[in-house]
Amino acid sequence: MTYFLFRIAHINVSGSKQLSGIDKYSSNYIFLLKPIEVEKEILQQNPTLEKVVVELIYPNTLSILAIEARPIAKIVLEDGYMAISSEGKILAKQRDDMFTLPIGINYYQPLYFRSFAVGDVIDINEMIDVVFFIEEQIGRAS
C-alpha cells in the first residue's frame, strides 16, 4: 500500500492551458523530484513560458504554476517577423505579419528568420535596450 502512496498520482497545472513534457513525472516517487530541476526542464520544453513554479504536495501531487510570457513588440526581419517578450525572449516567428502588436522594431543590419528559434533570447545589445525602453514606457502608461 505505501509503495504507491508516494508516487505522483496527480499533476495540477494552473496558468497555462498546454504544457509539454509533464507526463513524464507521473508515477515518479515524489521524494526523487527536485522542484528546481522540474522547473528548468518545463521551461526548456515550453519556450513561451516566462516562469514556472513547482510545488510538491505530499503524499502524491505535483502542482505546477506556469506563467506565459507576454509579447510586447515584434522584430521585423528580412524575411519574416518575431514576437518578443520584455526579457527579449522570442515567443513566436511568422513569415507574414500576422502579429497584432503595435510596436515593430527594425534593426539597421539584416536579420534572417532562419537565424533565430522560438525560445532564444535576443543577444543584440541595441535590441535589448529597445525592449527595455518599450517595457518602461508600457509600465508608465498603465
Side-chain angles (χ1 to χ4, degrees), residues 27-124:
S27 299
N28 282 344
Y29 284 107
I30 198 166
F31 297 116
L32 299 178
L33 294 177
K34 296 178 181 166
I36 292 173
E37 289 178 10
V38 174
E39 290 169 2
K40 287 179 185 177
E41 289 175 8
I42 292 172
L43 281 171
Q44 287 174 346
Q45 294 276 331
N46 301 275
T48 61
L49 295 178
E50 180 178 322
K51 184 177 180 180
V52 174
V53 178
V54 171
E55 182 180 3
L56 303 175
I57 302 171
Y58 294 95
N60 61 1
T61 302
L62 180 65
S63 178
I64 302 170
L65 170 63
I67 300 169
E68 296 279 343
R70 182 177 56 97
I72 64 162
K74 63 184 168 190
I75 295 177
V76 180
L77 306 171
E78 293 293 311
D79 51 352
Y81 301 85
M82 299 186 302
I84 59 169
S85 72
S86 60
E87 290 80 29
K89 184 188 273 189
I90 299 168
L91 303 177
K93 293 176 22 177
Q94 296 177 348
R95 293 284 184 182
D96 299 318
D97 188 6
M98 311 258 321
F99 296 119
T100 57
L101 299 166
I103 301 171
I105 302 170
N106 290 301
Y107 192 58
Y108 69 94
Q109 293 181 346
L111 300 174
Y112 295 97
F113 194 84
R114 70 181 178 279
S115 301
F116 301 95
V118 173
D120 287 351
V121 176
I122 298 293
D123 61 353
I124 302 169

